[in-house]
Amino acid sequence: MLRRDFLRNSAVALAGLHATPLVKGLDLSSFAEQDGVRYAEGYVFHDRGGVAVRRAGDPGVAGVAVSNGRDVVLTDRSGKYRIPVTEDCVLFSIKPRGWQFPLDHHRKPQSYYVHKPSGSPDFKYPGVRPTGSLPTSVDFALRPQSEPDKFRMIMFGDPQPRNQTEIDYIAHDVVEQCARDAAEMDCRFGISLGDIMFDDLSLFESLNSVVASVDRPWYTVVGNHDLNFDSPNTYRSTETWHRVYGPTHYAFNYGPVHFLVLNNILWRGGENRGYHGEITAEQLEFVKNDLAHVPKDRLLVVCMHIPIVNVENREALYRLIEDRPHTVSFSAHTHVAAHHFLGEEQGWKGSTPHHHVNHATVCGSWWQGATDERGIPHATMSDGGPNGYSIVEFDKHRYKIMFRPASRPASEQMAIWLADEVASGETAAVIVNVFAGSERSVTEMRVGAGEWVKMEQFAGQCPFFVRLKEMETSPTPPNGMKLPNPSTTRHLWRANLPGLRRGTHRVEVRTTDMFGQTFTDFRVVRVV
């Protein structure tokens, strides 16, 4: 029996602890069954009154996709849908262009209904309380909004706080800056690429309240540190996620761009508990069914947690998307930044290489390293890049990524390694770490007003990070948690200084990325 006190005027019906759209009717004793298959039905409607409850005069919205996590159906002319359900599933609607679902108090779109009649198992972190029988009508409210062809969004990799102190770091080191960017650059929404937490799932709500201060709709990807580790299998490993965020895979449209969010964490419990990168058969079926309704000239943006190159059955996903001319995918997880351009050697059979972006993280190196005057660790990642986030700009099928280092100017996009003092006639190396650079970046150097010289890209360890790590073994090591070991990165460039006369010289570096964005910086060197 649905209790009336579960209902609120905020597009949310709280069946225990989970969020759902408001449902119509109180007769919940049965739902349609045909040929042994049970069906849910309802309406996607224009919420003219802004109360998220379908009322007389609220018209249905035709042609809107609704899914049970596998199947995808479209609403008819009256806005009605009908779809198979199991006794444990999440129903959700796929946001169409020009519409927005109501947002909860943490700015999360309320586009789903969790159906768990028996509730979640008794895990350390609570899941969904029993929801009872399926409502006679599961309705999804939509409100119109303007969505231009060209727009911007915010992208976070792994916030991953382990406690409230680190949530406060996120607030002051990243979110305050990000909120200013969101307002100044008219960012329309944000997405976090998994590892929302660092195992303590009781902190979901606290972090959500901080991210909500960016004041934009916010989407989430599930990560390996967001799971119920006491689950015996992957099927039950996202019970708390369902309570807080709803579906673990879904899709939405914004402007002319289609976003596809996947859960590529396969959890195994028991004595050999752990995880690996894999996309379930149910999700692959959902991808196929979802994309059947998406024109092939649209840009497809795929978001996941583990990098696609580390997903065991990645080629099954490739086969579903590689016939589309415009695709890009994003991940996080590794706490380094990297660009992959996948071609035939990597199993991709599309006509052009697929660009996969392994994004930098909000928490950097898990908030390790010496603290600054605010008491916040520098959190430099093991590739020498700073923690931060990105502003991603879309213009039809084109996109541009603008990395934002945390608590630094937007123009600070590189670190130049060069000795303070060089002997006259000595060969001195200049090494540049371009934080968001790729093999398609062009990096050059000049001394004073001299000619620009192209620098060589190479794979290695960032010398700045190596020095930071070495300082931990000094007689007076810096405060803060120890950093991870240096990793090998390809966003390094090098060149040698030309022979210079004695004196002080300005060594200037400029880099132009694959999107045509140019950044410059310089370092001063003394020649003796």
Side-chain angles (χ1 to χ4, degrees), residues 195-248:
D195 280 2
I196 312 304
M197 279 298 117
F198 199 159
D199 301 346
D200 186 349
L201 309 189
S202 69
L203 296 172
F204 274 143
E205 296 294 343
S206 179
L207 178 63
N208 291 343
S209 67
V210 168
V211 176
S213 63
V214 178
D215 197 26
R216 294 295 184 272
W218 208 271
Y219 298 89
T220 45
V221 178
V222 67
N224 54 288
H225 286 282
D226 301 321
L227 305 180
N228 295 99
F229 294 145
D230 39 359
S231 171
N233 52 46
T234 197
Y235 175 67
R236 290 294 191 185
S237 65
T238 50
E239 295 294 320
T240 301
W241 183 275
H242 287 160
R243 173 174 62 83
V244 179
Y245 299 106
T248 61

Short mmCIF file of all heavy atoms in Angstrom, two decimals, residues 195-248:
data_model
loop_
_atom_site.label_atom_id
_atom_site.label_comp_id
_atom_site.label_asym_id
_atom_site.label_seq_id
_atom_site.Cartn_x
_atom_site.Cartn_y
_atom_site.Cartn_z
N ASP A 195 33.65 6.88 -9.01
CA ASP A 195 34.32 7.03 -7.72
C ASP A 195 33.87 8.34 -7.07
O ASP A 195 34.68 9.20 -6.72
CB ASP A 195 35.84 6.94 -7.85
CG ASP A 195 36.32 5.50 -7.94
OD1 ASP A 195 35.47 4.58 -7.94
OD2 ASP A 195 37.54 5.28 -8.03
N ILE A 196 32.57 8.45 -6.93
CA ILE A 196 31.99 9.58 -6.23
C ILE A 196 32.48 9.56 -4.78
O ILE A 196 32.76 10.59 -4.19
CB ILE A 196 30.45 9.52 -6.28
CG1 ILE A 196 29.96 9.24 -7.71
CG2 ILE A 196 29.85 10.78 -5.72
CD1 ILE A 196 30.43 10.22 -8.75
N MET A 197 32.62 8.35 -4.24
CA MET A 197 33.09 8.14 -2.88
C MET A 197 34.39 7.34 -2.87
O MET A 197 34.79 6.78 -3.89
CB MET A 197 32.04 7.37 -2.08
CG MET A 197 30.92 8.20 -1.54
SD MET A 197 31.50 9.44 -0.38
CE MET A 197 31.02 10.91 -1.26
N PHE A 198 35.01 7.28 -1.70
CA PHE A 198 36.14 6.38 -1.46
C PHE A 198 35.68 5.35 -0.43
O PHE A 198 36.10 5.34 0.71
CB PHE A 198 37.34 7.17 -0.95
CG PHE A 198 38.66 6.46 -1.08
CD1 PHE A 198 39.85 7.17 -1.07
CD2 PHE A 198 38.74 5.08 -1.21
CE1 PHE A 198 41.08 6.54 -1.20
CE2 PHE A 198 39.96 4.43 -1.34
CZ PHE A 198 41.13 5.17 -1.33
N ASP A 199 34.72 4.50 -0.84
CA ASP A 199 34.22 3.35 -0.08
C ASP A 199 33.15 3.67 0.97
O ASP A 199 32.27 2.84 1.21
CB ASP A 199 35.36 2.57 0.62
CG ASP A 199 36.40 2.05 -0.36
OD1 ASP A 199 36.12 2.04 -1.58
OD2 ASP A 199 37.49 1.66 0.10
N ASP A 200 33.22 4.84 1.61
CA ASP A 200 32.25 5.16 2.66
C ASP A 200 31.00 5.76 2.02
O ASP A 200 30.90 6.98 1.81
CB ASP A 200 32.86 6.13 3.67
CG ASP A 200 31.95 6.38 4.86
OD1 ASP A 200 30.76 5.98 4.82
OD2 ASP A 200 32.41 7.01 5.84
N LEU A 201 30.02 4.90 1.74
CA LEU A 201 28.83 5.33 1.01
C LEU A 201 27.88 6.17 1.86
O LEU A 201 26.95 6.76 1.32
CB LEU A 201 28.10 4.10 0.45
CG LEU A 201 28.94 3.11 -0.36
CD1 LEU A 201 28.05 2.07 -1.02
CD2 LEU A 201 29.82 3.81 -1.39
N SER A 202 28.15 6.27 3.15
CA SER A 202 27.31 7.13 3.99
C SER A 202 27.53 8.60 3.68
O SER A 202 26.75 9.45 4.10
CB SER A 202 27.61 6.87 5.47
OG SER A 202 28.91 7.34 5.81
N LEU A 203 28.59 8.91 2.92
CA LEU A 203 28.93 10.30 2.62
C LEU A 203 28.38 10.79 1.29
O LEU A 203 28.62 11.94 0.91
CB LEU A 203 30.47 10.46 2.62
CG LEU A 203 31.15 10.21 3.96
CD1 LEU A 203 32.67 10.21 3.79
CD2 LEU A 203 30.74 11.27 4.98
N PHE A 204 27.65 9.94 0.58
CA PHE A 204 27.07 10.37 -0.70
C PHE A 204 26.32 11.70 -0.57
O PHE A 204 26.54 12.63 -1.33
CB PHE A 204 26.10 9.31 -1.24
CG PHE A 204 26.73 8.22 -2.05
CD1 PHE A 204 26.26 6.91 -1.95
CD2 PHE A 204 27.76 8.48 -2.95
CE1 PHE A 204 26.80 5.89 -2.71
CE2 PHE A 204 28.31 7.46 -3.72
CZ PHE A 204 27.83 6.17 -3.59
N GLU A 205 25.42 11.76 0.40
CA GLU A 205 24.55 12.93 0.52
C GLU A 205 25.34 14.18 0.86
O GLU A 205 25.04 15.27 0.36
CB GLU A 205 23.47 12.68 1.58
CG GLU A 205 22.50 11.56 1.24
CD GLU A 205 21.63 11.88 0.03
OE1 GLU A 205 21.53 13.06 -0.36
OE2 GLU A 205 21.03 10.93 -0.53
N SER A 206 26.36 14.06 1.68
CA SER A 206 27.17 15.23 2.04
C SER A 206 27.89 15.79 0.81
O SER A 206 27.90 17.01 0.59
CB SER A 206 28.18 14.86 3.12
OG SER A 206 28.97 15.98 3.46
N LEU A 207 28.48 14.90 0.02
CA LEU A 207 29.16 15.38 -1.19
C LEU A 207 28.15 15.95 -2.18
O LEU A 207 28.40 16.99 -2.82
CB LEU A 207 29.95 14.25 -1.84
CG LEU A 207 30.65 14.64 -3.14
CD1 LEU A 207 31.68 15.74 -2.91
CD2 LEU A 207 31.30 13.45 -3.81
N ASN A 208 27.00 15.28 -2.32
CA ASN A 208 25.98 15.79 -3.24
C ASN A 208 25.57 17.22 -2.89
O ASN A 208 25.33 18.05 -3.78
CB ASN A 208 24.75 14.89 -3.22
CG ASN A 208 25.00 13.53 -3.84
OD1 ASN A 208 25.97 13.33 -4.56
ND2 ASN A 208 24.13 12.57 -3.54
N SER A 209 25.49 17.52 -1.60
CA SER A 209 25.09 18.87 -1.19
C SER A 209 26.15 19.90 -1.57
O SER A 209 25.82 21.05 -1.89
CB SER A 209 24.82 18.91 0.32
OG SER A 209 26.01 18.70 1.06
N VAL A 210 27.42 19.51 -1.54
CA VAL A 210 28.49 20.42 -1.94
C VAL A 210 28.46 20.65 -3.45
O VAL A 210 28.51 21.79 -3.93
CB VAL A 210 29.87 19.86 -1.51
CG1 VAL A 210 31.00 20.62 -2.18
CG2 VAL A 210 30.00 19.93 0.00
N VAL A 211 28.36 19.57 -4.23
CA VAL A 211 28.33 19.70 -5.69
C VAL A 211 27.10 20.48 -6.14
O VAL A 211 27.15 21.21 -7.13
CB VAL A 211 28.39 18.30 -6.35
CG1 VAL A 211 28.26 18.41 -7.87
CG2 VAL A 211 29.71 17.61 -6.00
N ALA A 212 26.01 20.35 -5.40
CA ALA A 212 24.78 21.08 -5.75
C ALA A 212 24.98 22.59 -5.72
O ALA A 212 24.24 23.33 -6.37
CB ALA A 212 23.65 20.68 -4.80
N SER A 213 26.00 23.06 -4.98
CA SER A 213 26.23 24.50 -4.92
C SER A 213 26.77 25.06 -6.23
O SER A 213 26.81 26.28 -6.41
CB SER A 213 27.17 24.84 -3.76
OG SER A 213 28.44 24.25 -3.95
N VAL A 214 27.19 24.20 -7.16
CA VAL A 214 27.53 24.66 -8.51
C VAL A 214 26.27 25.16 -9.20
O VAL A 214 26.32 25.94 -10.15
CB VAL A 214 28.20 23.53 -9.33
CG1 VAL A 214 28.52 23.99 -10.74
CG2 VAL A 214 29.49 23.06 -8.64
N ASP A 215 25.12 24.69 -8.72
CA ASP A 215 23.81 25.15 -9.18
C ASP A 215 23.55 24.78 -10.64
O ASP A 215 23.07 25.61 -11.43
CB ASP A 215 23.66 26.66 -8.98
CG ASP A 215 22.20 27.11 -9.04
OD1 ASP A 215 21.31 26.28 -8.76
OD2 ASP A 215 21.96 28.28 -9.38
N ARG A 216 23.84 23.53 -10.97
CA ARG A 216 23.57 23.00 -12.31
C ARG A 216 23.04 21.58 -12.17
O ARG A 216 23.40 20.87 -11.22
CB ARG A 216 24.83 22.99 -13.17
CG ARG A 216 25.41 24.36 -13.51
CD ARG A 216 24.45 25.16 -14.39
NE ARG A 216 25.01 26.44 -14.81
CZ ARG A 216 24.91 27.56 -14.12
NH1 ARG A 216 24.31 27.56 -12.93
NH2 ARG A 216 25.41 28.69 -14.58
N PRO A 217 22.19 21.11 -13.08
CA PRO A 217 21.82 19.69 -13.06
C PRO A 217 23.08 18.84 -13.08
O PRO A 217 24.05 19.18 -13.78
CB PRO A 217 21.00 19.52 -14.34
CG PRO A 217 20.48 20.88 -14.64
CD PRO A 217 21.55 21.84 -14.19
N TRP A 218 23.07 17.73 -12.34
CA TRP A 218 24.31 16.95 -12.21
C TRP A 218 24.01 15.45 -12.42
O TRP A 218 23.12 14.89 -11.80
CB TRP A 218 24.95 17.15 -10.84
CG TRP A 218 26.43 16.96 -10.91
CD1 TRP A 218 27.13 15.80 -10.76
CD2 TRP A 218 27.40 17.97 -11.21
NE1 TRP A 218 28.48 16.01 -10.93
CE2 TRP A 218 28.68 17.35 -11.21
CE3 TRP A 218 27.34 19.34 -11.47
CZ2 TRP A 218 29.86 18.04 -11.45
CZ3 TRP A 218 28.52 20.03 -11.71
CH2 TRP A 218 29.75 19.38 -11.70
N TYR A 219 24.81 14.85 -13.31
CA TYR A 219 24.70 13.43 -13.62
C TYR A 219 25.89 12.68 -13.02
O TYR A 219 26.95 13.27 -12.77
CB TYR A 219 24.66 13.21 -15.14
CG TYR A 219 23.47 13.86 -15.81
CD1 TYR A 219 23.52 15.16 -16.28
CD2 TYR A 219 22.27 13.15 -15.97
CE1 TYR A 219 22.42 15.76 -16.89
CE2 TYR A 219 21.17 13.73 -16.59
CZ TYR A 219 21.26 15.05 -17.05
OH TYR A 219 20.17 15.63 -17.65
N THR A 220 25.74 11.38 -12.82
CA THR A 220 26.78 10.60 -12.16
C THR A 220 27.00 9.27 -12.85
O THR A 220 26.08 8.67 -13.41
CB THR A 220 26.42 10.34 -10.68
OG1 THR A 220 25.05 9.94 -10.60
CG2 THR A 220 26.63 11.57 -9.83
N VAL A 221 28.26 8.81 -12.78
CA VAL A 221 28.70 7.51 -13.29
C VAL A 221 29.14 6.69 -12.08
O VAL A 221 29.80 7.22 -11.18
CB VAL A 221 29.87 7.67 -14.28
CG1 VAL A 221 30.36 6.32 -14.78
CG2 VAL A 221 29.47 8.57 -15.45
N VAL A 222 28.81 5.42 -12.05
CA VAL A 222 29.21 4.58 -10.92
C VAL A 222 30.67 4.15 -11.09
O VAL A 222 31.14 3.86 -12.19
CB VAL A 222 28.29 3.36 -10.78
CG1 VAL A 222 28.42 2.39 -11.93
CG2 VAL A 222 28.54 2.64 -9.45
N GLY A 223 31.42 4.14 -9.96
CA GLY A 223 32.82 3.71 -9.96
C GLY A 223 33.05 2.55 -9.03
O GLY A 223 32.15 2.16 -8.26
N ASN A 224 34.24 2.00 -9.04
CA ASN A 224 34.52 0.81 -8.23
C ASN A 224 34.52 1.10 -6.73
O ASN A 224 34.35 0.18 -5.92
CB ASN A 224 35.86 0.19 -8.63
CG ASN A 224 37.01 1.17 -8.61
OD1 ASN A 224 37.08 2.05 -9.47
ND2 ASN A 224 37.90 1.05 -7.64
N HIS A 225 34.70 2.36 -6.33
CA HIS A 225 34.64 2.71 -4.90
C HIS A 225 33.24 3.14 -4.47
O HIS A 225 33.07 3.63 -3.34
CB HIS A 225 35.66 3.80 -4.58
CG HIS A 225 37.08 3.31 -4.57
ND1 HIS A 225 37.61 2.61 -3.51
CD2 HIS A 225 38.06 3.38 -5.51
CE1 HIS A 225 38.87 2.29 -3.78
NE2 HIS A 225 39.16 2.74 -4.99
N ASP A 226 32.25 2.98 -5.35
CA ASP A 226 30.87 3.35 -5.04
C ASP A 226 30.00 2.12 -4.79
O ASP A 226 28.77 2.23 -4.76
CB ASP A 226 30.28 4.15 -6.21
CG ASP A 226 31.05 5.42 -6.50
OD1 ASP A 226 31.49 6.07 -5.54
OD2 ASP A 226 31.22 5.76 -7.70
N LEU A 227 30.61 0.95 -4.60
CA LEU A 227 29.87 -0.30 -4.55
C LEU A 227 29.62 -0.77 -3.11
O LEU A 227 30.31 -0.36 -2.17
CB LEU A 227 30.65 -1.40 -5.28
CG LEU A 227 31.05 -1.13 -6.73
CD1 LEU A 227 31.82 -2.32 -7.28
CD2 LEU A 227 29.83 -0.81 -7.59
N ASN A 228 28.63 -1.65 -2.98
CA ASN A 228 28.43 -2.38 -1.73
C ASN A 228 29.37 -3.58 -1.74
O ASN A 228 29.11 -4.60 -2.38
CB ASN A 228 26.98 -2.87 -1.63
CG ASN A 228 25.99 -1.74 -1.54
OD1 ASN A 228 25.37 -1.35 -2.53
ND2 ASN A 228 25.83 -1.18 -0.35
N PHE A 229 30.47 -3.46 -1.03
CA PHE A 229 31.50 -4.50 -1.06
C PHE A 229 31.06 -5.78 -0.35
O PHE A 229 31.70 -6.84 -0.51
CB PHE A 229 32.80 -4.01 -0.43
CG PHE A 229 33.47 -2.91 -1.21
CD1 PHE A 229 34.14 -1.89 -0.56
CD2 PHE A 229 33.41 -2.87 -2.60
CE1 PHE A 229 34.76 -0.88 -1.27
CE2 PHE A 229 34.02 -1.87 -3.32
CZ PHE A 229 34.70 -0.86 -2.66
N ASP A 230 29.98 -5.72 0.44
CA ASP A 230 29.48 -6.94 1.06
C ASP A 230 28.51 -7.69 0.15
O ASP A 230 27.94 -8.71 0.55
CB ASP A 230 28.82 -6.66 2.42
CG ASP A 230 28.00 -5.38 2.46
OD1 ASP A 230 27.92 -4.67 1.44
OD2 ASP A 230 27.44 -5.08 3.53
N SER A 231 28.36 -7.22 -1.08
CA SER A 231 27.52 -7.94 -2.04
C SER A 231 28.23 -9.19 -2.53
O SER A 231 29.44 -9.17 -2.79
CB SER A 231 27.20 -7.05 -3.25
OG SER A 231 26.57 -7.79 -4.26
N PRO A 232 27.51 -10.30 -2.70
CA PRO A 232 28.14 -11.52 -3.20
C PRO A 232 28.39 -11.50 -4.71
O PRO A 232 29.09 -12.35 -5.23
CB PRO A 232 27.12 -12.60 -2.85
CG PRO A 232 25.80 -11.88 -2.87
CD PRO A 232 26.09 -10.50 -2.36
N ASN A 233 27.80 -10.51 -5.41
CA ASN A 233 27.92 -10.49 -6.87
C ASN A 233 27.71 -9.08 -7.39
O ASN A 233 27.35 -8.16 -6.64
CB ASN A 233 26.90 -11.44 -7.51
CG ASN A 233 25.48 -11.19 -7.02
OD1 ASN A 233 25.04 -10.05 -6.95
ND2 ASN A 233 24.77 -12.26 -6.66
N THR A 234 27.96 -8.92 -8.70
CA THR A 234 27.82 -7.58 -9.29
C THR A 234 26.38 -7.12 -9.32
O THR A 234 26.09 -5.92 -9.27
CB THR A 234 28.43 -7.56 -10.71
OG1 THR A 234 28.66 -6.20 -11.11
CG2 THR A 234 27.55 -8.27 -11.72
N TYR A 235 25.45 -8.08 -9.40
CA TYR A 235 24.03 -7.74 -9.49
C TYR A 235 23.55 -6.93 -8.30
O TYR A 235 22.75 -6.00 -8.43
CB TYR A 235 23.22 -9.04 -9.63
CG TYR A 235 21.73 -8.87 -9.61
CD1 TYR A 235 21.07 -8.19 -10.65
CD2 TYR A 235 20.97 -9.38 -8.57
CE1 TYR A 235 19.69 -8.03 -10.63
CE2 TYR A 235 19.58 -9.22 -8.55
CZ TYR A 235 18.96 -8.55 -9.57
OH TYR A 235 17.60 -8.39 -9.55
N ARG A 236 24.04 -7.26 -7.10
CA ARG A 236 23.61 -6.58 -5.88
C ARG A 236 24.60 -5.51 -5.41
O ARG A 236 24.41 -4.92 -4.34
CB ARG A 236 23.42 -7.60 -4.75
CG ARG A 236 22.23 -8.53 -4.95
CD ARG A 236 20.93 -7.75 -4.89
NE ARG A 236 19.76 -8.63 -4.80
CZ ARG A 236 18.51 -8.20 -4.83
NH1 ARG A 236 18.26 -6.90 -4.94
NH2 ARG A 236 17.50 -9.05 -4.77
N SER A 237 25.63 -5.25 -6.16
CA SER A 237 26.70 -4.37 -5.69
C SER A 237 26.36 -2.89 -5.76
O SER A 237 27.12 -2.05 -5.27
CB SER A 237 27.98 -4.63 -6.48
OG SER A 237 27.81 -4.27 -7.84
N THR A 238 25.21 -2.54 -6.35
CA THR A 238 24.86 -1.12 -6.50
C THR A 238 23.54 -0.79 -5.80
O THR A 238 22.80 0.09 -6.24
CB THR A 238 24.78 -0.74 -7.99
OG1 THR A 238 23.95 -1.69 -8.69
CG2 THR A 238 26.16 -0.73 -8.62
N GLU A 239 23.22 -1.50 -4.73
CA GLU A 239 21.97 -1.26 -4.02
C GLU A 239 21.92 0.15 -3.41
O GLU A 239 20.90 0.84 -3.48
CB GLU A 239 21.76 -2.31 -2.93
CG GLU A 239 21.57 -3.72 -3.46
CD GLU A 239 20.28 -3.88 -4.26
OE1 GLU A 239 19.25 -3.30 -3.86
OE2 GLU A 239 20.32 -4.57 -5.30
N THR A 240 23.01 0.59 -2.80
CA THR A 240 23.03 1.95 -2.24
C THR A 240 23.01 2.98 -3.36
O THR A 240 22.35 4.02 -3.24
CB THR A 240 24.26 2.14 -1.34
OG1 THR A 240 24.23 1.19 -0.29
CG2 THR A 240 24.29 3.54 -0.74
N TRP A 241 23.69 2.68 -4.45
CA TRP A 241 23.65 3.58 -5.61
C TRP A 241 22.22 3.76 -6.10
O TRP A 241 21.79 4.88 -6.39
CB TRP A 241 24.53 3.02 -6.73
CG TRP A 241 24.60 3.93 -7.93
CD1 TRP A 241 23.74 3.99 -8.97
CD2 TRP A 241 25.60 4.92 -8.17
NE1 TRP A 241 24.13 4.96 -9.87
CE2 TRP A 241 25.26 5.54 -9.40
CE3 TRP A 241 26.74 5.34 -7.49
CZ2 TRP A 241 26.04 6.57 -9.96
CZ3 TRP A 241 27.50 6.36 -8.04
CH2 TRP A 241 27.15 6.96 -9.25
N HIS A 242 21.47 2.67 -6.19
CA HIS A 242 20.07 2.78 -6.63
C HIS A 242 19.28 3.70 -5.71
O HIS A 242 18.45 4.49 -6.18
CB HIS A 242 19.42 1.39 -6.64
CG HIS A 242 19.89 0.51 -7.74
ND1 HIS A 242 19.74 -0.86 -7.70
CD2 HIS A 242 20.51 0.79 -8.91
CE1 HIS A 242 20.25 -1.38 -8.81
NE2 HIS A 242 20.71 -0.41 -9.54
N ARG A 243 19.52 3.60 -4.42
CA ARG A 243 18.79 4.46 -3.48
C ARG A 243 19.12 5.94 -3.69
O ARG A 243 18.23 6.79 -3.67
CB ARG A 243 19.13 4.07 -2.04
CG ARG A 243 18.55 5.04 -1.00
CD ARG A 243 18.76 4.56 0.41
NE ARG A 243 20.16 4.45 0.78
CZ ARG A 243 20.91 5.47 1.19
NH1 ARG A 243 20.40 6.69 1.26
NH2 ARG A 243 22.17 5.28 1.55
N VAL A 244 20.39 6.24 -3.93
CA VAL A 244 20.81 7.64 -3.99
C VAL A 244 20.71 8.22 -5.40
O VAL A 244 20.26 9.36 -5.58
CB VAL A 244 22.26 7.79 -3.47
CG1 VAL A 244 22.72 9.24 -3.55
CG2 VAL A 244 22.37 7.28 -2.04
N TYR A 245 21.12 7.43 -6.41
CA TYR A 245 21.23 7.97 -7.77
C TYR A 245 20.31 7.31 -8.79
O TYR A 245 20.18 7.82 -9.91
CB TYR A 245 22.67 7.85 -8.27
CG TYR A 245 23.66 8.61 -7.43
CD1 TYR A 245 24.53 7.95 -6.57
CD2 TYR A 245 23.73 10.00 -7.49
CE1 TYR A 245 25.45 8.65 -5.80
CE2 TYR A 245 24.64 10.71 -6.72
CZ TYR A 245 25.50 10.02 -5.88
OH TYR A 245 26.40 10.72 -5.12
N GLY A 246 19.73 6.17 -8.47
CA GLY A 246 18.85 5.51 -9.42
C GLY A 246 19.59 4.56 -10.33
O GLY A 246 20.36 3.70 -9.87
N PRO A 247 19.41 4.66 -11.65
CA PRO A 247 20.01 3.68 -12.58
C PRO A 247 21.53 3.81 -12.62
O PRO A 247 22.08 4.89 -12.42
CB PRO A 247 19.38 4.04 -13.93
CG PRO A 247 19.03 5.50 -13.81
CD PRO A 247 18.63 5.69 -12.37
N THR A 248 22.19 2.69 -12.90
CA THR A 248 23.64 2.71 -13.05
C THR A 248 24.06 2.87 -14.51
O THR A 248 25.23 3.11 -14.79
CB THR A 248 24.26 1.40 -12.51
OG1 THR A 248 23.75 0.29 -13.27
CG2 THR A 248 23.95 1.22 -11.05
#
